[in-house]
Amino acid sequence: EPEVTQTPSHQVTQMGQEVILRCVPISNHLYFYWYRQILGQKVEFLVSFYNNEISEKSEIFDDQFSVERPDGSNFTLKIRSTKLEDSAMYFCASLGLAPNEQFFGPGTRLTVL
Amino acid sequence: KNQVEQSPQSLIILEGKNCTLQCNYTVSPFSNLRWYKQDTGRGPVSLTIMTFSENTKSNGRYTATLDADTKQSSLHITASQLSDSASYICVVRPMFSGGYNKLIFGAGTRLAVHP
């Protein structure tokens, strides 16, 4: 069964460093998403991406964040200068037409020291 | 403001027992309501999806109900198993979210099934 994959599973970084979280969505999906979940809190929408551009973003998704689909398979989330409060699980999701639902990856746990 | 509230926050039951989790939402209009299961440290996995016109949807031992008039949904788990221990998250997709399926998540109910 096709699935969304994410790498790395756990990333530890120093405050102020740049990180890139990687996702491989399901191959025939066209819509891609990033969510984050701070420990003990609810999952929060960050950004949606379609047709090589951002279609919607939340207020969390400020200038420190960017997304890219550098090739036909990868979908990345870059945080330019990490802050302590960026520590969270980051989930990638992709959406197909049938079934019309989002499939989530296993997440990347980001720890900012 | 679009919100999804869940209760209880946490629940402990014995293996083999049934339980019901509640979800109240203010998202209106909405396109569909989903229940996800999230194991610790993993991504959410879809259990059921209901459109605003559906009242109930089953997936094995999981049965979800929806009352669009009172804006309430429930997830009933029958004959619980140890592997049911997880967070159960109610998620609503607003009707008008730019067509890009932005989802609004509840905080989840953390279920622990004990032997």
Side-chain angles (χ1 to χ4, degrees), chain B residues 17-79:
Chain B
K17 297 297 186 183
N18 304 335
C19 66
T20 300
L21 315 180
Q22 301 291 342
C23 173
N24 296 303
Y25 59 92
T26 60
V27 182
S28 183
F30 76 98
S31 176
N32 58 57
L33 184 146
R34 308 138 186 251
W35 282 92
Y36 283 87
K37 178 184 179 185
Q38 185 180 23
D39 292 309
T40 301
R42 307 291 296 174
V45 175
S46 180
L47 295 175
T48 64
I49 298 178
M50 290 181 291
T51 66
F52 60 87
S53 61
E54 293 179 290
N55 298 121
T56 187
K57 182 70 70 78
S58 290
N59 177 5
R61 293 180 298 103
Y62 302 103
T63 299
T65 64
L66 174 63
D67 185 335
D69 291 330
T70 61
K71 295 186 172 56
Q72 294 180 323
S73 176
S74 66
L75 179 70
H76 186 75
I77 304 174
T78 304

Side-chain angles (χ1 to χ4, degrees), chain A residues 88-102:
Chain A
M89 282 288 281
Y90 287 82
F91 295 105
C92 172
S94 69
L95 171 74
L97 294 179
N100 184 241
E101 67 173 280
Q102 292 184 30

